[in-house]
C-alpha cells in the first residue's frame, strides 16, 4: 500500500488535523492525545468533508441510581469529530457514526518513520 | 479565527469560503452530470437580517421607519423581528454559522448575490427561490402594522435591488403580511406582476392563522388571477404552547416544522379552498415529507365518516393534497420502503420540488434526490427542476438542459 506523507512530527501538534489528498481520495489525519487516527474525509451522510469540522467531546446525560437525570456533561474520555455540513458526529478512536455505530468511516493506518508521519492509502 | 468547543478547546480555521466548504458538492454535481440538468432549488435562504440598513429605508410609514432606523447602531439591529429560542448551529458544530461573517465577498456586487451564486454553482443549482431568514419570524411580531411595513420594505428591496443583480438566477415567493388581509392584497397587487416574482409566501409560525378565514379569499383570488403560487413556509417556535413541554431543541425542531404545515394544510383542505381556487398552486415548504402520508390517512379516515363537516369537498382530502406541491427538504431518508410509499402517495413525479434550504443547518444536496434507488429518470428530472421550470416558467441555461426539459415535457420558457 503506498505511503502518503502527512506531516513532520514536530509540526503536527496534538489536537491538530491534516487533510491529505491521494488521487481522488481525501483522508483526514488527527493527532489526539498522542495517537494518530486517519479516516476518509467523505461523510456517510451526504458526502461532506467529515474530518474538517470541530473536534468536541461526546455529550453525556448522567443519571442517578434512581434514574433521575443529573443533566448534560462533556465526556472525560470520548472525543468526537464533527462533519461541518450538518453536524454528524464520529468517534475519534473508531470512526463510528455515534448516532448509529454500525456505520463507520473507512479507517487508514498511520505510520511514523523517524520524525515523519505517513498514512497508508 | 478560532472556533471554541468544550472547555476552551480551540479549533483554528481560516475564513469561511463557501466554494471550498462545498467542494464535495461540486464533485458530486460533476460526477452526476448536473450541469446538463436544469436544477431549481425552490427554498434557499439569505440573511436579510444582516442587511437591515439596506431594506428598512423602504418602509413607507415615516414614524415606524424612524423608530427602527434611528438609535440602533449595530448592523443586526436586534428587536426588529422576534427571534425564537433555538440552536440551529448546534453549538458551532455546523461551522458556517459562527464563521459566516468571516467570508469575503467582492465590493461592487451585493454580498447575498455572490454568496448565493457560490453555493448554487457548487451544487449545480441553476435557479434559487430566495427566502429570508429573520423575516421567517415576522408572524410573531406583536404589531400588525409593523409586519405590514417590514414585508413591504423587504419585498421592495428584494425586487428592486437584490434579484435584479442576480443575473436572472434568483426568483422569490415574496413575504405576505398575513396578519392584515387588506395589506396582503395590496402587496399582491403591487408586487405580483414584478419580474422574478413567482408568488407569495406565508410564514406559518404565527399566533393566529386561519387560512380558511373569509378575509383571505380576495387575496387567494388575486393570486390565482395572476397565475401566482402560494407557499406556506414552516418554522419553529419553542414558546408556542404546543412545544412548551419539549426540553430539547431536536424535539421542537422535529415537530415544529411539520406541525404548522399540518394545521394549515388541514384547514386548507377541509374548508375546500382547493375547490374554490383550483388554479392556485399551493406549495408546502420545509416540512420534509413524512408528515404528508400521515395527514392523508388521518383526514381520509375521518372524512369517510364525517363528510358533513367538509361539505365543499368533491373528493377525498388526500386527492386535494395530491394536487398540491411539496418542497423536498429535509428528506427523511431513513427507510427506503417508507420513502417509496411516500413518493407514491404524493405523486412525487409531478408534485415534488427539490429544495436545499441552504445555508441552513439541515440542507439537502441535489444528490439526495438523484441517488434514490426507486426513482425513474423522468421523476428525477421533474423533481430536481422540470416541475419547477413549468410552474415558474424558468428557461434552460444551456442546450443540454433544453433537450432534457423537452424530453420530459417541461420546457415552458425558452
Ligand atoms: S454530509 Fe456530513 S453531516 Fe451531512
Amino acid at each position: 500500500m503506498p505511503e502518503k506523507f502527512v506531516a513532520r512530527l514536530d509540526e503536527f501538534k496534538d489536537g491538530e488535523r491534516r487533510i491529505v489528498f491521494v488521487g481522488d481520495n481525501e483522508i483526514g489525519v488527527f493527532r489526539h492525545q498522542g495517537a494518530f487516527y486517519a479516516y476518509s474525509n467523505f461523510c456517510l451522510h451526504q458526502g461532506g468533508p467529515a474530518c474538517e469540522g470541530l473536534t468536541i467531546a461526546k455529550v453525556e446525560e448522567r443519571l442517578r441510581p434512581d434514574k433521575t437525570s443529573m443533566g448534560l456533561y462533556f465526556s472525560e474520555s470520548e472525543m468526537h469529530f464533527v462533519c461541518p455540513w450538518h453536524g454528524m458526529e464520529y468517534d475519534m478512536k473508531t470512526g463510528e457514526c455515534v448516532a448509529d455505530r454500525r456505520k463507520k468511516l473507512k479507517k487508514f493506518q498511520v505510520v511514523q518513520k523517524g520524525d515523519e508521519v505517513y498514512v497508508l492509502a | 479565527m478560532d472556533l471554541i468547543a468544550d472547555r476552551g478547546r480551540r479549533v483554528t480555521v481560516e475564513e469561511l469560503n463557501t466554494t471550498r466548504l462545498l467542494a464535495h458538492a461540486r464533485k458530486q454535481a460533476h460526477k452526476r452530470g448536473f450541469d446538463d440538468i436544469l436544477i431549481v432549488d425552490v427554498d434557499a435562504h439569505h440573511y436579510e437580517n444582516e442587511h437591515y440598513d439596506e431594506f428598512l429605508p423602504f418602509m413607507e410609514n415615516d414614524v415606524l421607519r424612524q423608530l427602527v432606523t434611528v438609535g440602533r447602531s449595530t448592523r443586526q439591529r436586534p428587536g426588529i423581528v422576534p427571534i425564537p429560542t433555538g440552536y440551529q448551529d448546534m453549538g458551532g458544530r455546523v461551522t458556517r454559522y459562527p464563521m459566516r461573517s468571516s467570508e469575503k465577498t467582492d465590493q461592487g456586487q451585493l454580498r447575498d448575490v455572490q454568496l448565493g451564486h457560490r453555493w448554487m454553482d457548487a451544487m449545480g443549482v441553476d435557479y434559487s427561490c430566495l427566502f429570508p431568514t429573520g423575516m421567517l419570524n415576522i408572524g410573531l411580531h406583536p404589531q400588525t402594522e409593523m409586519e405590514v411595513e417590514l414585508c413591504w420594505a423587504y419585498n421592495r428591496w428584494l425586487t428592486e435591488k437584490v434579484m435584479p443583480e442576480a443575473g436572472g438566477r434568483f426568483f422569490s415567493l415574496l413575504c405576505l403580511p398575513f396578519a392584515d388581509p387588506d395589506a396582503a392584497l395590496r402587496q399582491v397587487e403591487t408586487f405580483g406582476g414584478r419580474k422574478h416574482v413567482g408568488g407569495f409566501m406565508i410564514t406559518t409560525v404565527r399566533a393566529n392563522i386561519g387560512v380558511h378565514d373569509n378575509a383571505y379569499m380576495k387575496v387567494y383570488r388575486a393570486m390565482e388571477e395572476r397565475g401566482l403560487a402560494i407557499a406556506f413556509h414552516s418554522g419553529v417556535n419553542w414558546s408556542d404552547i404546543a412545544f412548551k413541554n419539549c426540553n430539547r431543541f431536536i424535539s421542537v425542531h422535529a415537530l415544529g416544522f411539520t406541525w404548522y404545515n399540518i394545521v394549515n394544510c388541514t384547514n386548507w383542505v377541509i374548508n375546500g379552498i382547493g375547490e374554490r381556487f383550483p388554479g392556485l398552486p399551493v406549495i408546502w415548504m420545509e416540512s420534509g415529507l413524512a408528515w404528508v402520508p400521515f395527514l392523508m390517512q388521518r383526514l381520509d379516515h375521518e372524512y369517510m365518516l364525517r363528510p358533513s363537516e367538509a361539505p365543499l369537498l368533491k373528493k377525498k382530502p388526500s386527492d386535494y393534497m395530491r394536487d398540491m406541491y411539496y418542497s423536498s427538504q429535509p428528506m427523511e431518508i431513513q427507510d427506503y420502503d417508507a420513502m417509496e410509499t411516500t413518493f407514491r402517495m404524493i405523486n412525487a413525479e409531478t408534485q415534488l420540488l427539490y429544495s436545499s434550504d441552504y445555508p441552513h443547518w439541515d440542507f439537502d444536496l441535489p444528490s439526495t434526490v438523484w441517488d434514490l434507488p426507486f426513482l425513474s429518470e423522468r421523476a428525477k428530472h421533474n423533481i430536481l427542476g422540470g416541475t419547477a421550470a413549468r410552474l415558474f416558467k424558468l428557461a434552460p441555461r444551456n442546450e443540454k438542459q433544453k433537450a432534457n426539459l423537452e424530453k420530459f415535457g417541461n420546457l415552458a420558457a425558452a
Side-chain angles (χ1 to χ4, degrees):
Chain A
M1 212 173 261
E3 290 171 356
K4 175 81 184 180
F5 175 74
V6 177
R8 285 175 51 91
L9 193 59
D10 58 352
E11 289 170 355
F12 195 169
K13 307 228 163 16
D14 210 81
E16 289 186 349
R17 105 280 311 272
R18 297 281 187 281
I19 307 295
V20 294
F21 296 82
V22 186
D24 242 7
N25 207 358
E26 297 173 21
I27 299 167
V29 185
F30 296 90
R31 185 169 188 185
H32 172 63
Q33 293 180 343
F36 292 100
Y37 304 95
Y39 300 103
S40 163
N41 191 34
F42 290 91
C43 182
L44 300 172
H45 176 224
Q46 288 187 25
C51 303
E52 294 184 37
L54 280 191
T55 49
I56 188 167
K58 176 191 183 191
V59 172
E60 298 172 340
E61 181 159 8
R62 295 186 191 154
L63 301 180
R64 297 185 190 87
D66 66 357
K67 305 298 181 194
T68 54
S69 174
M70 294 166 66
L72 304 177
Y73 296 83
F74 280 118
S75 166
E76 301 293 340
S77 58
E78 188 172 320
M79 182 57 75
H80 292 169
F81 59 96
V82 186
C83 176
W85 275 11
H86 313 90
M88 188 169 268
E89 294 192 30
Y90 295 96
D91 188 322
M92 178 69 81
K93 290 186 178 159
T94 64
E96 293 165 338
C97 165
V98 300
D100 180 353
R101 289 187 181 267
R102 290 169 303 180
K103 296 193 165 104
K104 269 186 189 185
L105 287 173
K106 184 171 165 39
K107 192 169 188 170
F108 294 88
Q109 213 185 320
V110 181
V111 289
Q112 275 182 54
K113 287 190 166 179
D115 61 354
E116 293 183 332
V117 181
Y118 291 83
V119 66
L120 303 185
Chain B
M1 67 184 280
D2 286 346
L3 293 176
I4 300 179
D6 65 305
R7 301 192 202 93
R9 187 186 177 96
R10 284 165 188 273
V11 178
T12 304
V13 278
E14 298 162 44
E15 83 254 4
L16 182 65
N17 178 315
T18 295
T19 305
R20 204 159 57 225
L21 178 70
L22 294 178
H24 289 189
R26 188 62 232 157
K27 273 190 180 177
Q28 289 182 20
H30 183 70
K31 203 168 155 200
R32 290 161 180 77
F34 282 164
D35 293 345
D36 298 344
I37 301 166
L38 184 95
I39 299 183
V40 182
D41 176 358
V42 301
D43 180 24
H45 293 270
H46 67 143
Y47 289 93
E48 88 298 341
N49 45 313
E50 294 173 357
H51 303 290
Y52 278 130
D53 289 354
E54 291 177 41
F55 80 84
L56 293 180
F58 286 108
M59 290 172 71
E60 283 190 305
N61 183 282
D62 293 339
V63 175
L64 297 182
R65 187 177 59 249
Q66 193 274 343
L67 200 56
V68 294
T69 53
V70 179
R72 291 166 196 252
S73 55
T74 62
R75 197 164 58 102
Q76 301 214 5
R77 296 176 182 269
I80 292 179
V81 177
I83 304 173
T85 305
Y87 314 103
Q88 308 272 1
D89 62 301
M90 294 187 205
R93 288 170 177 82
V94 182
T95 53
R96 61 189 173 280
Y97 283 80
M99 294 175 67
R100 188 165 64 244
S101 61
S102 70
E103 180 149 13
K104 294 197 173 59
T105 47
D106 298 331
Q107 295 288 323
Q109 197 190 17
L110 282 176
R111 178 175 171 81
D112 287 6
V113 170
Q114 294 181 56
L115 296 179
H117 284 174
R118 280 178 198 171
W119 77 66
M120 290 163 74
D121 290 342
M123 294 181 193
V125 166
D126 295 287
Y127 297 99
S128 274
C129 183
L130 198 60
F131 287 116
T133 295
M135 285 284 285
L136 290 176
N137 301 311
I138 192 68
L140 295 175
H141 204 294
Q143 292 171 284
T144 298
E145 59 189 352
M146 200 57 104
E147 177 179 341
V148 171
E149 285 282 332
L150 289 170
C151 287
W152 178 270
Y154 174 71
N155 291 339
R156 274 201 64 189
W157 178 61
L158 202 64
T159 54
E160 294 174 23
K161 299 288 181 197
V162 180
M163 292 196 291
E165 266 205 37
R169 293 180 66 190
F170 287 154
F171 65 105
S172 189
L173 307 174
L174 300 176
C175 283
L176 204 60
F178 210 60
D180 182 338
D182 290 329
L185 178 62
R186 180 175 168 237
Q187 297 207 18
V188 171
E189 289 169 346
T190 305
F191 301 115
R194 289 193 175 184
K195 220 170 165 199
H196 313 301
V197 175
F200 287 82
M201 178 271 291
I202 297 161
T203 60
T204 60
V205 180
R206 295 175 172 273
N208 290 307
I209 176 168
V211 299
H212 50 285
D213 193 303
N214 275 340
Y216 295 119
M217 298 308 127
K218 61 190 175 202
V219 184
Y220 303 150
R221 191 181 59 215
M223 280 191 255
E224 186 185 44
E225 282 171 355
R226 288 165 174 76
L228 299 168
I230 187 169
F232 291 88
H233 192 295
S234 209
V236 282
N237 177 16
W238 207 332
S239 302
D240 190 317
I241 186 92
F243 303 110
K244 279 203 161 152
N245 287 316
C246 291
N247 68 332
R248 300 273 155 82
F249 185 65
I250 180 178
S251 316
V252 180
H253 191 274
L255 296 178
F257 269 89
T258 48
W259 170 247
Y260 297 105
N261 273 349
I262 285 174
V263 172
N264 295 323
C265 187
T266 298
N267 286 332
W268 189 275
V269 169
I270 294 301
N271 288 282
I273 315 287
E275 277 297 330
R276 302 189 219 185
F277 303 100
L280 175 61
V282 183
I283 312 170
W284 302 96
M285 295 270 186
E286 209 180 324
S287 303
L289 301 175
W291 66 280
V292 188
F294 156 77
L295 190 62
M296 284 177 165
Q297 293 173 81
R298 290 292 295 171
L299 294 184
D300 281 1
H301 171 75
E302 302 254 340
Y303 175 71
M304 292 306 289
L305 307 172
R306 310 176 76 101
S308 62
E309 291 174 41
L312 285 178
L313 305 199
K314 297 193 175 123
K315 52 189 182 183
K316 286 187 187 177
S318 65
D319 293 324
Y320 290 99
M321 289 177 69
R322 264 181 289 279
D323 293 337
M324 300 173 179
Y325 296 93
Y326 302 88
S327 74
S328 60
Q329 178 277 343
M331 270 206 311
E332 302 94 341
I333 308 177
Q334 299 296 324
D335 177 328
Y336 280 132
D337 289 340
M339 261 211 117
E340 191 172 3
T341 300
T342 301
F343 273 52
R344 174 181 58 76
M345 289 183 74
I346 68 174
N347 276 351
E349 189 167 305
T350 55
Q351 306 308 120
L352 186 58
L353 307 167
Y354 162 71
S355 60
S356 75
D357 194 38
Y358 201 82
H360 293 172
W361 74 272
D362 52 351
F363 75 93
D364 280 341
L365 290 177
S367 59
T368 54
V369 171
W370 188 260
D371 295 352
L372 288 174
F374 53 81
L375 283 186
S376 67
E377 203 192 347
R378 170 185 295 277
K380 290 181 185 188
H381 280 257
N382 287 1
I383 295 166
L384 281 180
T387 303
R390 265 192 292 117
L391 199 54
F392 299 112
K393 312 233 172 346
L394 301 169
R397 294 177 65 232
N398 61 44
E399 284 305 311
K400 288 197 171 142
Q401 290 182 0
K402 185 177 178 193
N404 274 316
L405 288 174
E406 268 169 350
K407 183 175 172 189
F408 298 112
N410 292 320
L411 188 65

